[in-house]
Amino acid sequence: MRRLPVALGWVVGLWAAALPALADNAADCRDRDLSPVTRIGACTEALAGRPDRATEAELLTERAAALGLEDRWAEALVDLRRLLVLEPTRAWAHYWEGRALDALDLPERAMAAFDRAIALAPEDPFAPWHRGFLKEEAGDTDAARADWERVRALRPFWPEPYRQLGHLAWDADDSERAAGLYALSLLLDPDQPVLRAQLARLVPSAPPDLRPAEYAPPPDRALPYLQTLFAPQDDPAGTEPDGPLLAAAFVRRQAVTDGDRVRFEIAPAAGFEMERLFPDPARRARVDTWRGLLVPEISPAGPQGPRIRTDLGFDPATLWPLTTGTTLSGTADVVMTCPSARMLTAVSVGCIAPGAEMSLGQLDVTLSVKGTETLRVPRGTFDTFRVRYTEAGTLGIGSLTEPHRREVIWWIAPALGTWVRRVTSDADGVTVLSLLADDAF
């Protein structure tokens, strides 16, 4: 084999030695955990290595985004224009071109870029979200509202479109709609003190003077609710995003009423993807409740498995008629009834004899009417009774026990015969909030 000329061998060796550096630069360019300044430098070095067309487009994308984070929009626009030559139908590039033109105070050209992005990727919410602000600044509030309604439909669990739509309603003196939209935004992101203060201005400060409310079964009609679940952050530095771990929209309809026993059918709201809650879209959850509030019996292993009931130790019906200050308390027995047939799931939780009853422990429980309150929820404004239930104690089987605590607060509207807001929390700090929603769900 012929040896390479000395000069040529030196060049090849230098090129081979530079390969790891080029690879490192490209990796740093893509690493969004690094600072924007570091990424900009890495992208620049990687682009100087004359990458292929696909890699060049990716590096330009990353550098443009990093430049935007540094408010170096004129430089970002240069990269975006190069990117659009390489990939003229890339919606992301048109979107960021709109962001750059907006930052450079070129609103008409920015709007045209957002229009192109929306035409190329109609399912993406970011371009209509930003275009809505340009429409509002131009005085076209109807177009801004249409853009933010589009975002709301595309991303129903984002708090931002509800907030902006609420501001438009506020400016139009539609306080009822503004309050409902603000309530939805705060449900999805409670950490909005300015918005919370704005909502407080729309709610009467004095509690309503309600006469004692007798119990009446809720009417047989479908009611939509929006529900969110929050849990303590595992990250002590607080770098995890705020907001709920899970959000869902569902429709609840009364199915059966038998005295104090009320069965509800719960189904996903139309148009919402909730595979984590309802893997089968046709599935309906049936929940047996006591007057729509308490759930005294559950089946942890399915309808044929063990049944767990809680005997409260007092008659909760005596809470009615609802009157501020009424409190019931007692000691509740928690009992598991084993299924009549042998099941592996039943044996795993301690069921040896079919049909046997096993004590899981006792709980101190209270049920009380804490007061009255006027609430503005997405469905409207309601005068309510605030009813609170607590249970605390130790539960378990044999030597396997653990502390247990749960609190549920319902805001019951006599006008509807059911609750319009509910908050539940447990000993682990998990909180679930539900609000009666409007017909958009």
Side-chain angles (χ1 to χ4, degrees):
M1 179 181 294
R2 292 182 57 194
R3 295 177 59 87
L4 290 171
V6 173
L8 182 56
W10 177 82
V11 170
V12 171
L14 183 63
W15 173 78
L19 277 178
L22 291 173
D24 289 345
N25 283 326
D28 288 347
C29 175
R30 300 184 188 96
D31 189 349
R32 298 179 184 181
D33 289 332
L34 298 176
S35 71
V37 172
T38 300
R39 290 176 58 209
I40 291 167
C43 294
T44 302
E45 292 293 331
L47 285 164
R50 297 185 179 278
D52 59 53
R53 185 184 184 93
T55 305
E56 181 184 3
E58 183 182 10
L59 295 173
L60 287 170
T61 296
E62 296 296 337
R63 189 169 69 175
L67 287 165
L69 291 173
E70 287 293 298
D71 285 331
R72 294 162 60 177
W73 290 106
E75 296 169 75
L77 189 59
V78 173
D79 277 356
L80 291 165
R81 294 282 167 76
R82 285 177 60 186
L83 177 59
L84 285 168
V85 170
L86 295 171
E87 298 185 356
T89 61
R90 190 169 188 174
W92 187 96
H94 289 284
Y95 161 71
W96 277 99
E97 182 190 22
R99 292 285 304 276
L101 291 166
D102 181 25
L104 295 170
D105 199 21
L106 298 168
E108 292 183 1
R109 292 170 62 186
M111 204 164 322
F114 288 139
D115 290 343
R116 292 191 293 272
I118 292 169
L120 289 166
E123 76 288 347
D124 190 274
F126 296 106
W129 168 245
H130 285 278
R131 189 177 68 176
F133 288 99
L134 291 176
K135 298 285 189 182
E136 184 187 30
E137 290 170 6
D140 192 349
T141 55
D142 288 341
R145 184 180 297 105
D147 270 344
W148 291 330
E149 287 286 5
R150 178 184 187 132
V151 175
R152 166 177 163 156
L154 290 168
R155 293 292 187 275
F157 299 126
W158 276 10
E160 288 84 356
Y162 300 102
R163 182 178 62 240
Q164 294 307 129
L165 289 167
H167 291 338
L168 290 181
W170 177 291
D171 292 339
D173 293 325
D174 188 350
S175 61
E176 194 74 22
R177 177 164 173 75
L181 290 161
Y182 289 159
L184 279 170
S185 185
L186 286 166
L187 182 69
L188 294 165
D189 179 13
D191 188 22
Q192 301 183 75
V194 174
L195 195 62
R196 190 171 297 281
Q198 212 160 351
L199 179 59
R201 279 185 260 171
L202 296 170
V203 179
S205 57
D209 184 15
L210 291 175
R211 66 181 183 181
E214 297 287 350
Y215 171 70
D220 183 9
R221 63 181 174 188
L223 292 174
Y225 286 85
L226 184 67
Q227 181 166 290
T228 56
L229 182 148
F230 295 83
Q233 288 185 343
D234 294 328
D235 179 15
T239 57
E240 290 296 319
D242 294 329
L245 295 179
L246 178 67
F250 63 90
V251 176
R252 192 187 75 175
R253 177 181 287 280
Q254 177 186 341
V256 177
T257 301
D258 181 12
D260 291 328
R261 301 285 294 184
V262 179
R263 171 172 289 185
F264 292 103
E265 287 189 351
I266 300 173
F272 284 78
E273 297 178 1
M274 298 192 303
E275 288 81 1
R276 290 173 63 183
L277 294 182
F278 297 91
D280 178 1
R283 179 181 173 188
R284 298 292 184 270
R286 291 176 175 82
V287 180
D288 283 319
T289 69
W290 188 90
R291 295 196 172 182
L293 303 183
L294 306 176
V295 184
E297 187 173 284
I298 60 173
S299 300
Q304 305 302 319
R307 296 191 307 277
I308 299 175
R309 73 175 190 273
T310 302
D311 298 324
L312 292 178
F314 57 79
D315 183 3
T318 57
L319 192 71
W320 276 263
L322 299 179
T323 306
T324 298
T326 303
T327 298
L328 307 176
S329 60
T331 301
D333 293 314
V334 183
V335 179
M336 180 171 67
T337 302
C338 297
S340 56
R342 284 191 174 276
M343 301 174 58
L344 181 60
T345 53
V347 173
S348 68
V349 295
C351 279
I352 305 300
E357 289 196 345
M358 302 174 58
S359 174
L360 301 184
Q362 291 185 324
L363 300 171
D364 294 326
V365 297
T366 62
L367 183 63
S368 56
V369 183
K370 306 303 292 184
T372 61
E373 189 173 339
T374 298
L375 280 184
R376 289 184 184 267
V377 295
R379 186 77 170 196
T381 301
F382 298 92
D383 291 336
T384 67
F385 286 96
R386 191 170 70 256
V387 175
R388 179 174 180 257
Y389 170 77
T390 64
E391 57 185 32
T394 302
L395 297 178
I397 299 175
S399 61
L400 301 175
T401 62
E402 61 181 20
H404 172 85
R405 181 183 63 80
R406 186 167 72 109
E407 177 188 76
V408 187
I409 302 175
W410 300 272
W411 282 258
I412 300 173
L416 288 181
T418 190
W419 54 269
V420 297
R421 185 175 193 255
R422 182 186 66 193
V423 178
T424 70
S425 58
D426 62 22
D428 295 327
V430 175
T431 301
V432 180
L433 301 92
S434 304
L435 283 181
L436 182 64
D438 59 21
D439 289 328
F441 293 105

